[in-house]
Structures are given as structure tokens and as C-alpha cells.
Amino acid sequence: MIQGVYCEPYCIEQGEEFEIHHVEFADNEAYDCATHFHEVHEFIIFEKIEGSYFYSQGESSLKDSDIVFTPAAETHNFECTARGKSWFIVQFKPHVLETKNMSNVRAFFDHGLHLRLPARRINEIQQQVKWLYESYHHDPLSPRSITLLNLLICTIAEYATSVEASQSQPITRSPLYEKMLPVINQFKNSTAVELSVTEAAEACHLSPSHFSRMFKHIFRVNYSEYTMKHKLYSAARLLSQSGLTVTQISYELNFSSPSHFISQFKKHFSVTPRQYRTSFSSKAW
């Protein structure tokens, strides 16, 4: 893995149901993850972690061996301390939970979850995810891989319990979030959002100052910073999932020039777009 680079979602190959990767950062190694969403479901099964998880239920503190589940299209974010950290990330297509095998656990995963296991079950889950990782990299389409994925999902649903968040009502169901939906939906449906703060505020029927305060409360960065990060994360996905050239991507995302795109990408990810694309060719996560 290239140090300082962390971007989701990974590319679920056509015909596959899921992807699994292992992520590891040493003490004081640079880490950054902007508030984001994706069109796939996601488990993060932590080995070592110290920090906070921001999701639909609010904010909660992360501990070693915790698990978080984020459903498709929910915004979420992490803040981690400088301590070393590692986890497995499993991203899978939503229809996996719609199969007959998942009927008994489907309701458990209807919203974002921060989960904790009984001590006696931690090693069991960690072993299962390691088996899944090994099986995926041997053959992601094998019956064994699919069975292990289903087993992991069912075991988490059976033994993990939810960690109480700092707010009881999910932010996605709050009047604050609903007021911002015209703009939030643009970010969910577009790779680049070109609305000015004034235009975004008008779309939400708010004054620019009120809109800016509300936006920062939800996304934890100001509007202009988030619009740039959204474009850069969209660029990273296009680099990993498409054959578009760096120049084509820069214009696709409405950067003023390819050189501006390259400089902004390197400033945020610490590597050039070309280096980032190369890092994905081996799936070395």
C-alpha cells in the first residue's frame, strides 16, 4: 500500500459479489478519510484502532476489535489517533442481504451500526475474516468464498451488539439532514458538484451563512473543502475503475486544467494520479 493513500470504495469486479482488503498504518503514519458514501454495503473489522466513528447514529469511540457496518448511500467518516491501526474492509453488493440465506439477519443491517463482540467471540470473527481474505484472493467466485462471506455476516448478526452512540436519533432522519437533502443528493448522484455556496443555499431554501453552518455540522468540513474532496475521491475511483486518462478525468470532473487536477490530487493523496492508478493494478491492499 502506498503510504498516505486511503480511498473507498474499492472496485468490485464485474461478476463478483464482494471485495476484501487489509489496511495497516504504522504509528504516526499519515491517514486521512473524508466524509463519504458508496453504493455498496461495508464492514470494517478492526484489529487495532483508536479514534471515532461518525455515522447515521451519531458519533462513537472506537476500540480494538470493534466492527462497523455502513449501508449503501450512508455518509460516514473516521478520525483516528496517531497510534498504529489495522483492519479488514469488506465491501459487498446490497443484493447479498436480499438472498434467501440472509432473510433472518436482513433487518439487523437496516442502518449504520457500531458493533462490539463478547471477548470470547473476537478470535472467532478475526479467524473468519482471515479465511475470507485468503479465499477471496485465491478465487473470489468460489463457493467457499461466498459461503465464508455469508458465515461472517451471520456470525456478526448473531453475536455482536450495538455500541450506544452519542445521539439516539439517526442524523439521516433529523430535520437538519432533510433540509440539506437537495445538496446531499447531488453529492450522492454526481462525481462533481459545481454549485457555489450561494447556489447550494438557495437549493435548500437557506441563507448562505445558515447553510454553511449546517453543512459543516453534518460533514465536519466546510462546503468548499468538501466539494474539492468529493471531486478528488471521485477521481480516485475513476482512476481505479475506468480506463479514462488523467487528462480525460480532469475535464470530466471540471478541473480548470490537467495540471491543476494533478497538483490538487497530489496535495491530498501525496501521490500523483498516475502513481495512484499503478498502486491499484496489483490490488495490494
Side-chain angles (χ1 to χ4, degrees):
M1 181 179 68
I2 295 176
Q3 293 187 357
V5 176
Y6 183 72
C7 182
E8 302 172 25
Y10 302 107
C11 178
I12 297 180
E13 298 291 343
Q14 186 174 1
E16 296 181 9
E17 299 296 305
F18 73 101
E19 286 236 347
I20 178 171
H21 302 270
H22 187 253
V23 179
E24 187 170 8
F25 289 82
D27 289 344
N28 299 310
E29 188 175 341
Y31 166 86
D32 178 73
C33 181
T35 301
H36 65 287
F37 62 90
H38 28 68
E39 298 305 317
V40 293
H41 294 332
E42 172 185 274
F43 284 116
I44 296 184
I45 300 173
F46 291 101
E47 296 172 310
K48 297 184 296 181
I49 190 64
E50 185 178 85
S52 297
Y53 175 44
F54 302 90
Y55 65 123
S56 63
Q57 302 298 110
E59 174 186 351
S60 55
S61 297
L62 294 165
K63 297 181 180 180
D64 290 352
S65 304
D66 280 0
I67 298 171
V68 299
F69 171 75
T70 307
E74 270 202 15
T75 56
H76 56 288
N77 191 13
F78 300 91
E79 278 190 359
C80 302
T81 68
R83 175 193 169 207
K85 43 200 159 281
S86 63
W87 59 83
F88 287 92
I89 178 168
V90 183
Q91 293 185 333
F92 59 98
K93 294 179 179 178
H95 70 79
V96 169
L97 289 180
E98 300 303 317
T99 63
K100 184 178 180 180
N101 292 336
M102 295 290 107
S103 59
N104 292 333
V105 302
R106 193 177 303 139
F108 185 79
F109 298 108
D110 69 348
H111 61 277
L113 296 166
H114 177 188
L115 302 166
R116 200 158 283 161
L117 292 161
R120 67 185 184 279
R121 296 294 177 182
I122 291 173
N123 288 340
E124 180 180 347
I125 290 291
Q126 293 289 341
Q127 184 60 67
Q128 284 185 18
V129 75
K130 288 175 183 176
W131 285 338
L132 180 63
Y133 180 80
E134 292 169 359
S135 185
Y136 171 80
H137 286 281
H138 177 69
D139 182 358
L141 299 176
S142 70
R144 182 172 184 264
S145 292
I146 302 304
T147 299
L148 286 169
L149 175 64
N150 290 340
L151 176 63
L152 181 67
I153 294 170
C154 291
T155 305
I156 290 171
E158 182 171 356
Y159 295 115
T161 56
S162 181
V163 175
E164 185 178 357
S166 60
Q167 62 180 54
S168 57
Q169 179 177 340
I171 194 169
T172 53
R173 300 175 195 170
S174 69
L176 171 67
Y177 188 89
E178 291 176 1
K179 194 79 172 176
M180 302 289 287
L181 277 176
V183 169
I184 291 172
N185 286 335
Q186 288 213 33
F187 281 110
K188 288 184 175 181
N189 297 320
S190 304
T191 54
V193 175
E194 297 300 325
L195 296 176
S196 67
V197 172
T198 300
E199 291 169 333
E202 287 177 354
C204 298
H205 306 289
L206 298 168
S207 69
S209 59
H210 191 193
F211 169 83
S212 296
R213 288 194 299 271
M214 291 173 68
F215 190 92
K216 190 167 186 177
H217 177 74
I218 293 174
F219 288 93
R220 307 185 64 254
V221 295
N222 64 44
Y223 176 75
S224 60
E225 183 179 354
Y226 186 79
T227 55
M228 176 56 72
K229 285 188 173 184
H230 179 71
K231 289 170 69 171
L232 292 172
Y233 276 75
S234 295
R237 290 168 189 144
L238 288 171
L239 287 164
S240 67
Q241 298 177 11
S242 79
L244 295 175
T245 67
V246 170
T247 297
Q248 288 171 327
I249 290 172
S250 70
Y251 290 124
E252 175 79 14
L253 299 177
N254 297 314
F255 284 92
S256 59
S257 67
S259 60
H260 180 230
F261 165 52
I262 293 168
S263 66
Q264 289 294 319
F265 193 94
K266 187 172 183 179
K267 180 180 178 181
H268 184 74
F269 288 112
S270 302
V271 293
T272 66
R274 195 175 302 278
Q275 288 170 326
Y276 182 83
R277 170 170 274 167
T278 300
S279 75
F280 265 84
S281 61
S282 62
K283 289 187 177 181
W285 287 80

PDB file of all heavy atoms in Angstrom, residues 10 16 49 58 72 83 85 98 116-117 141 148 160 177 184 190 196 208 230 237 243 245 250 261 285:
ATOM      1  N   TYR A  10     -13.362   0.342  -2.986  1.00  0.00           N
ATOM      2  CA  TYR A  10     -12.535  -0.408  -3.902  1.00  0.00           C
ATOM      3  C   TYR A  10     -13.409  -0.867  -5.065  1.00  0.00           C
ATOM      4  O   TYR A  10     -14.626  -0.828  -4.997  1.00  0.00           O
ATOM      5  CB  TYR A  10     -11.908  -1.605  -3.181  1.00  0.00           C
ATOM      6  CG  TYR A  10     -11.090  -1.168  -2.001  1.00  0.00           C
ATOM      7  CD1 TYR A  10     -11.540  -1.365  -0.708  1.00  0.00           C
ATOM      8  CD2 TYR A  10      -9.884  -0.520  -2.197  1.00  0.00           C
ATOM      9  CE1 TYR A  10     -10.795  -0.930   0.382  1.00  0.00           C
ATOM     10  CE2 TYR A  10      -9.127  -0.083  -1.117  1.00  0.00           C
ATOM     11  CZ  TYR A  10      -9.587  -0.297   0.168  1.00  0.00           C
ATOM     12  OH  TYR A  10      -8.849   0.146   1.233  1.00  0.00           O
ATOM     13  N   GLU A  16     -18.417 -10.248  -9.584  1.00  0.00           N
ATOM     14  CA  GLU A  16     -18.106 -10.597  -8.203  1.00  0.00           C
ATOM     15  C   GLU A  16     -19.128  -9.996  -7.258  1.00  0.00           C
ATOM     16  O   GLU A  16     -19.796  -9.007  -7.576  1.00  0.00           O
ATOM     17  CB  GLU A  16     -16.692 -10.135  -7.831  1.00  0.00           C
ATOM     18  CG  GLU A  16     -15.600 -10.819  -8.630  1.00  0.00           C
ATOM     19  CD  GLU A  16     -14.199 -10.370  -8.238  1.00  0.00           C
ATOM     20  OE1 GLU A  16     -14.055  -9.657  -7.224  1.00  0.00           O
ATOM     21  OE2 GLU A  16     -13.241 -10.729  -8.959  1.00  0.00           O
ATOM     22  N   ILE A  49      -7.292  -0.139  16.683  1.00  0.00           N
ATOM     23  CA  ILE A  49      -7.907   1.152  16.347  1.00  0.00           C
ATOM     24  C   ILE A  49      -8.061   2.006  17.600  1.00  0.00           C
ATOM     25  O   ILE A  49      -8.255   1.484  18.697  1.00  0.00           O
ATOM     26  CB  ILE A  49      -9.296   0.954  15.675  1.00  0.00           C
ATOM     27  CG1 ILE A  49      -9.823   2.278  15.102  1.00  0.00           C
ATOM     28  CG2 ILE A  49     -10.270   0.335  16.640  1.00  0.00           C
ATOM     29  CD1 ILE A  49      -9.009   2.868  13.988  1.00  0.00           C
ATOM     30  N   GLY A  58     -24.779   8.975  14.856  1.00  0.00           N
ATOM     31  CA  GLY A  58     -24.083   9.999  15.626  1.00  0.00           C
ATOM     32  C   GLY A  58     -22.588   9.778  15.628  1.00  0.00           C
ATOM     33  O   GLY A  58     -21.976   9.538  14.594  1.00  0.00           O
ATOM     34  N   ALA A  72     -25.176   0.989   2.042  1.00  0.00           N
ATOM     35  CA  ALA A  72     -25.003   1.785   0.829  1.00  0.00           C
ATOM     36  C   ALA A  72     -25.677   3.142   0.979  1.00  0.00           C
ATOM     37  O   ALA A  72     -26.769   3.258   1.546  1.00  0.00           O
ATOM     38  CB  ALA A  72     -25.591   1.043  -0.368  1.00  0.00           C
ATOM     39  N   ARG A  83      -1.779   6.574  16.829  1.00  0.00           N
ATOM     40  CA  ARG A  83      -1.396   5.196  17.136  1.00  0.00           C
ATOM     41  C   ARG A  83      -1.554   4.313  15.898  1.00  0.00           C
ATOM     42  O   ARG A  83      -2.404   4.540  15.052  1.00  0.00           O
ATOM     43  CB  ARG A  83      -2.294   4.675  18.263  1.00  0.00           C
ATOM     44  CG  ARG A  83      -2.096   3.218  18.616  1.00  0.00           C
ATOM     45  CD  ARG A  83      -3.231   2.735  19.506  1.00  0.00           C
ATOM     46  NE  ARG A  83      -3.212   1.283  19.647  1.00  0.00           N
ATOM     47  CZ  ARG A  83      -4.278   0.544  19.900  1.00  0.00           C
ATOM     48  NH1 ARG A  83      -5.457   1.117  20.041  1.00  0.00           N
ATOM     49  NH2 ARG A  83      -4.186  -0.759  20.028  1.00  0.00           N
ATOM     50  N   LYS A  85      -2.697   1.356  13.456  1.00  0.00           N
ATOM     51  CA  LYS A  85      -4.061   0.839  13.287  1.00  0.00           C
ATOM     52  C   LYS A  85      -4.101  -0.137  12.118  1.00  0.00           C
ATOM     53  O   LYS A  85      -3.313  -0.037  11.180  1.00  0.00           O
ATOM     54  CB  LYS A  85      -5.049   1.978  13.067  1.00  0.00           C
ATOM     55  CG  LYS A  85      -4.544   3.043  12.113  1.00  0.00           C
ATOM     56  CD  LYS A  85      -5.298   4.348  12.278  1.00  0.00           C
ATOM     57  CE  LYS A  85      -4.494   5.514  11.745  1.00  0.00           C
ATOM     58  NZ  LYS A  85      -3.454   5.948  12.707  1.00  0.00           N
ATOM     59  N   GLU A  98     -30.255  -9.570   0.318  1.00  0.00           N
ATOM     60  CA  GLU A  98     -31.615  -9.857  -0.145  1.00  0.00           C
ATOM     61  C   GLU A  98     -31.814 -11.329  -0.485  1.00  0.00           C
ATOM     62  O   GLU A  98     -32.920 -11.743  -0.818  1.00  0.00           O
ATOM     63  CB  GLU A  98     -31.934  -8.993  -1.382  1.00  0.00           C
ATOM     64  CG  GLU A  98     -31.864  -7.498  -1.128  1.00  0.00           C
ATOM     65  CD  GLU A  98     -32.789  -7.050  -0.009  1.00  0.00           C
ATOM     66  OE1 GLU A  98     -33.947  -7.525   0.023  1.00  0.00           O
ATOM     67  OE2 GLU A  98     -32.346  -6.259   0.840  1.00  0.00           O
ATOM     68  N   ARG A 116     -19.815  -4.283  18.858  1.00  0.00           N
ATOM     69  CA  ARG A 116     -18.761  -4.820  19.721  1.00  0.00           C
ATOM     70  C   ARG A 116     -19.104  -6.268  20.044  1.00  0.00           C
ATOM     71  O   ARG A 116     -20.260  -6.623  20.259  1.00  0.00           O
ATOM     72  CB  ARG A 116     -18.653  -3.977  20.987  1.00  0.00           C
ATOM     73  CG  ARG A 116     -17.348  -4.112  21.735  1.00  0.00           C
ATOM     74  CD  ARG A 116     -17.110  -2.896  22.618  1.00  0.00           C
ATOM     75  NE  ARG A 116     -16.669  -1.745  21.849  1.00  0.00           N
ATOM     76  CZ  ARG A 116     -16.740  -0.481  22.275  1.00  0.00           C
ATOM     77  NH1 ARG A 116     -17.273  -0.210  23.455  1.00  0.00           N
ATOM     78  NH2 ARG A 116     -16.307   0.500  21.518  1.00  0.00           N
ATOM     79  N   LEU A 117     -18.084  -7.105  20.079  1.00  0.00           N
ATOM     80  CA  LEU A 117     -18.267  -8.536  20.307  1.00  0.00           C
ATOM     81  C   LEU A 117     -17.952  -8.923  21.747  1.00  0.00           C
ATOM     82  O   LEU A 117     -17.098  -8.297  22.393  1.00  0.00           O
ATOM     83  CB  LEU A 117     -17.339  -9.328  19.389  1.00  0.00           C
ATOM     84  CG  LEU A 117     -17.619  -9.285  17.893  1.00  0.00           C
ATOM     85  CD1 LEU A 117     -16.364  -9.706  17.133  1.00  0.00           C
ATOM     86  CD2 LEU A 117     -18.787 -10.202  17.542  1.00  0.00           C
ATOM     87  N   LEU A 141     -14.884 -16.041  -6.697  1.00  0.00           N
ATOM     88  CA  LEU A 141     -16.156 -16.590  -7.170  1.00  0.00           C
ATOM     89  C   LEU A 141     -16.418 -18.012  -6.667  1.00  0.00           C
ATOM     90  O   LEU A 141     -17.462 -18.588  -6.973  1.00  0.00           O
ATOM     91  CB  LEU A 141     -16.186 -16.580  -8.698  1.00  0.00           C
ATOM     92  CG  LEU A 141     -16.082 -15.206  -9.360  1.00  0.00           C
ATOM     93  CD1 LEU A 141     -16.020 -15.361 -10.875  1.00  0.00           C
ATOM     94  CD2 LEU A 141     -17.239 -14.322  -8.960  1.00  0.00           C
ATOM     95  N   LEU A 148     -18.148 -18.279   3.031  1.00  0.00           N
ATOM     96  CA  LEU A 148     -17.447 -17.582   4.111  1.00  0.00           C
ATOM     97  C   LEU A 148     -17.986 -16.171   4.312  1.00  0.00           C
ATOM     98  O   LEU A 148     -18.083 -15.689   5.450  1.00  0.00           O
ATOM     99  CB  LEU A 148     -15.950 -17.552   3.827  1.00  0.00           C
ATOM    100  CG  LEU A 148     -15.204 -18.878   4.018  1.00  0.00           C
ATOM    101  CD1 LEU A 148     -13.785 -18.793   3.460  1.00  0.00           C
ATOM    102  CD2 LEU A 148     -15.164 -19.253   5.505  1.00  0.00           C
ATOM    103  N   ALA A 160     -22.704  -9.904  17.754  1.00  0.00           N
ATOM    104  CA  ALA A 160     -22.300  -8.516  18.009  1.00  0.00           C
ATOM    105  C   ALA A 160     -23.471  -7.703  18.554  1.00  0.00           C
ATOM    106  O   ALA A 160     -24.621  -7.936  18.201  1.00  0.00           O
ATOM    107  CB  ALA A 160     -21.770  -7.880  16.720  1.00  0.00           C
ATOM    108  N   TYR A 177     -30.864  17.171   8.515  1.00  0.00           N
ATOM    109  CA  TYR A 177     -30.408  16.404   7.361  1.00  0.00           C
ATOM    110  C   TYR A 177     -31.396  16.524   6.207  1.00  0.00           C
ATOM    111  O   TYR A 177     -31.006  16.709   5.046  1.00  0.00           O
ATOM    112  CB  TYR A 177     -30.235  14.945   7.763  1.00  0.00           C
ATOM    113  CG  TYR A 177     -29.586  14.069   6.711  1.00  0.00           C
ATOM    114  CD1 TYR A 177     -28.203  13.924   6.657  1.00  0.00           C
ATOM    115  CD2 TYR A 177     -30.360  13.369   5.788  1.00  0.00           C
ATOM    116  CE1 TYR A 177     -27.613  13.111   5.700  1.00  0.00           C
ATOM    117  CE2 TYR A 177     -29.766  12.550   4.838  1.00  0.00           C
ATOM    118  CZ  TYR A 177     -28.390  12.430   4.790  1.00  0.00           C
ATOM    119  OH  TYR A 177     -27.805  11.629   3.846  1.00  0.00           O
ATOM    120  N   ILE A 184     -27.196  17.244  -0.622  1.00  0.00           N
ATOM    121  CA  ILE A 184     -26.647  15.926  -0.309  1.00  0.00           C
ATOM    122  C   ILE A 184     -26.900  14.958  -1.456  1.00  0.00           C
ATOM    123  O   ILE A 184     -26.019  14.185  -1.851  1.00  0.00           O
ATOM    124  CB  ILE A 184     -27.244  15.388   1.003  1.00  0.00           C
ATOM    125  CG1 ILE A 184     -26.719  16.215   2.184  1.00  0.00           C
ATOM    126  CG2 ILE A 184     -26.900  13.907   1.196  1.00  0.00           C
ATOM    127  CD1 ILE A 184     -27.377  15.902   3.509  1.00  0.00           C
ATOM    128  N   SER A 190     -23.642  12.661  -8.257  1.00  0.00           N
ATOM    129  CA  SER A 190     -22.730  13.311  -9.200  1.00  0.00           C
ATOM    130  C   SER A 190     -21.279  13.129  -8.755  1.00  0.00           C
ATOM    131  O   SER A 190     -20.985  13.133  -7.556  1.00  0.00           O
ATOM    132  CB  SER A 190     -23.028  14.818  -9.298  1.00  0.00           C
ATOM    133  OG  SER A 190     -24.381  15.048  -9.643  1.00  0.00           O
ATOM    134  N   SER A 196     -22.066  26.933  -6.265  1.00  0.00           N
ATOM    135  CA  SER A 196     -21.432  27.826  -5.301  1.00  0.00           C
ATOM    136  C   SER A 196     -22.161  27.701  -3.966  1.00  0.00           C
ATOM    137  O   SER A 196     -23.261  27.112  -3.888  1.00  0.00           O
ATOM    138  CB  SER A 196     -21.493  29.268  -5.791  1.00  0.00           C
ATOM    139  OG  SER A 196     -22.847  29.716  -5.808  1.00  0.00           O
ATOM    140  N   PRO A 208     -26.936  31.730   2.916  1.00  0.00           N
ATOM    141  CA  PRO A 208     -25.599  31.135   2.798  1.00  0.00           C
ATOM    142  C   PRO A 208     -24.925  30.875   4.144  1.00  0.00           C
ATOM    143  O   PRO A 208     -24.279  29.835   4.317  1.00  0.00           O
ATOM    144  CB  PRO A 208     -24.832  32.178   1.977  1.00  0.00           C
ATOM    145  CG  PRO A 208     -25.882  32.835   1.137  1.00  0.00           C
ATOM    146  CD  PRO A 208     -27.089  32.915   2.037  1.00  0.00           C
ATOM    147  N   HIS A 230     -14.684  15.741  -2.572  1.00  0.00           N
ATOM    148  CA  HIS A 230     -15.609  14.874  -3.308  1.00  0.00           C
ATOM    149  C   HIS A 230     -15.104  14.647  -4.737  1.00  0.00           C
ATOM    150  O   HIS A 230     -15.140  13.514  -5.244  1.00  0.00           O
ATOM    151  CB  HIS A 230     -16.995  15.519  -3.333  1.00  0.00           C
ATOM    152  CG  HIS A 230     -18.017  14.727  -4.076  1.00  0.00           C
ATOM    153  ND1 HIS A 230     -18.536  13.545  -3.599  1.00  0.00           N
ATOM    154  CD2 HIS A 230     -18.625  14.935  -5.287  1.00  0.00           C
ATOM    155  CE1 HIS A 230     -19.415  13.054  -4.462  1.00  0.00           C
ATOM    156  NE2 HIS A 230     -19.480  13.880  -5.489  1.00  0.00           N
ATOM    157  N   ARG A 237     -11.621   7.052  -7.715  1.00  0.00           N
ATOM    158  CA  ARG A 237     -12.434   5.905  -8.150  1.00  0.00           C
ATOM    159  C   ARG A 237     -12.352   5.709  -9.656  1.00  0.00           C
ATOM    160  O   ARG A 237     -12.269   4.578 -10.143  1.00  0.00           O
ATOM    161  CB  ARG A 237     -13.881   6.101  -7.694  1.00  0.00           C
ATOM    162  CG  ARG A 237     -14.023   5.979  -6.195  1.00  0.00           C
ATOM    163  CD  ARG A 237     -15.362   6.447  -5.691  1.00  0.00           C
ATOM    164  NE  ARG A 237     -15.338   6.496  -4.233  1.00  0.00           N
ATOM    165  CZ  ARG A 237     -15.963   7.407  -3.502  1.00  0.00           C
ATOM    166  NH1 ARG A 237     -16.666   8.347  -4.089  1.00  0.00           N
ATOM    167  NH2 ARG A 237     -15.884   7.369  -2.190  1.00  0.00           N
ATOM    168  N   GLY A 243     -10.877   3.262 -17.592  1.00  0.00           N
ATOM    169  CA  GLY A 243      -9.710   3.405 -18.449  1.00  0.00           C
ATOM    170  C   GLY A 243      -9.488   4.832 -18.912  1.00  0.00           C
ATOM    171  O   GLY A 243      -8.658   5.081 -19.795  1.00  0.00           O
ATOM    172  N   THR A 245      -8.086   8.522 -19.245  1.00  0.00           N
ATOM    173  CA  THR A 245      -6.764   9.081 -18.989  1.00  0.00           C
ATOM    174  C   THR A 245      -6.851  10.153 -17.910  1.00  0.00           C
ATOM    175  O   THR A 245      -7.941  10.631 -17.563  1.00  0.00           O
ATOM    176  CB  THR A 245      -6.189   9.714 -20.260  1.00  0.00           C
ATOM    177  OG1 THR A 245      -6.987  10.867 -20.611  1.00  0.00           O
ATOM    178  CG2 THR A 245      -6.170   8.716 -21.421  1.00  0.00           C
ATOM    179  N   SER A 250      -9.625  14.811 -15.564  1.00  0.00           N
ATOM    180  CA  SER A 250      -9.562  16.203 -15.107  1.00  0.00           C
ATOM    181  C   SER A 250     -10.694  17.026 -15.715  1.00  0.00           C
ATOM    182  O   SER A 250     -11.312  17.853 -15.027  1.00  0.00           O
ATOM    183  CB  SER A 250      -8.206  16.824 -15.451  1.00  0.00           C
ATOM    184  OG  SER A 250      -8.066  17.019 -16.860  1.00  0.00           O
ATOM    185  N   PHE A 261      -5.583  19.626 -11.686  1.00  0.00           N
ATOM    186  CA  PHE A 261      -6.059  18.353 -11.134  1.00  0.00           C
ATOM    187  C   PHE A 261      -4.910  17.578 -10.501  1.00  0.00           C
ATOM    188  O   PHE A 261      -5.014  17.102  -9.365  1.00  0.00           O
ATOM    189  CB  PHE A 261      -6.715  17.525 -12.244  1.00  0.00           C
ATOM    190  CG  PHE A 261      -6.911  16.075 -11.900  1.00  0.00           C
ATOM    191  CD1 PHE A 261      -7.548  15.690 -10.728  1.00  0.00           C
ATOM    192  CD2 PHE A 261      -6.455  15.083 -12.763  1.00  0.00           C
ATOM    193  CE1 PHE A 261      -7.726  14.338 -10.423  1.00  0.00           C
ATOM    194  CE2 PHE A 261      -6.630  13.737 -12.465  1.00  0.00           C
ATOM    195  CZ  PHE A 261      -7.259  13.368 -11.282  1.00  0.00           C
ATOM    196  N   TRP A 285      -3.833  -4.193  -1.323  1.00  0.00           N
ATOM    197  CA  TRP A 285      -4.386  -3.591  -0.117  1.00  0.00           C
ATOM    198  C   TRP A 285      -4.536  -4.668   0.937  1.00  0.00           C
ATOM    199  O   TRP A 285      -5.221  -4.565   1.878  1.00  0.00           O
ATOM    200  CB  TRP A 285      -5.720  -2.907  -0.428  1.00  0.00           C
ATOM    201  CG  TRP A 285      -5.538  -1.650  -1.192  1.00  0.00           C
ATOM    202  CD1 TRP A 285      -5.317  -1.518  -2.534  1.00  0.00           C
ATOM    203  CD2 TRP A 285      -5.569  -0.318  -0.695  1.00  0.00           C
ATOM    204  NE1 TRP A 285      -5.220  -0.216  -2.896  1.00  0.00           N
ATOM    205  CE2 TRP A 285      -5.369   0.563  -1.786  1.00  0.00           C
ATOM    206  CE3 TRP A 285      -5.752   0.241   0.563  1.00  0.00           C
ATOM    207  CZ2 TRP A 285      -5.326   1.932  -1.642  1.00  0.00           C
ATOM    208  CZ3 TRP A 285      -5.731   1.613   0.682  1.00  0.00           C
ATOM    209  CH2 TRP A 285      -5.510   2.447  -0.390  1.00  0.00           C
TER     210      TRP A 285
END
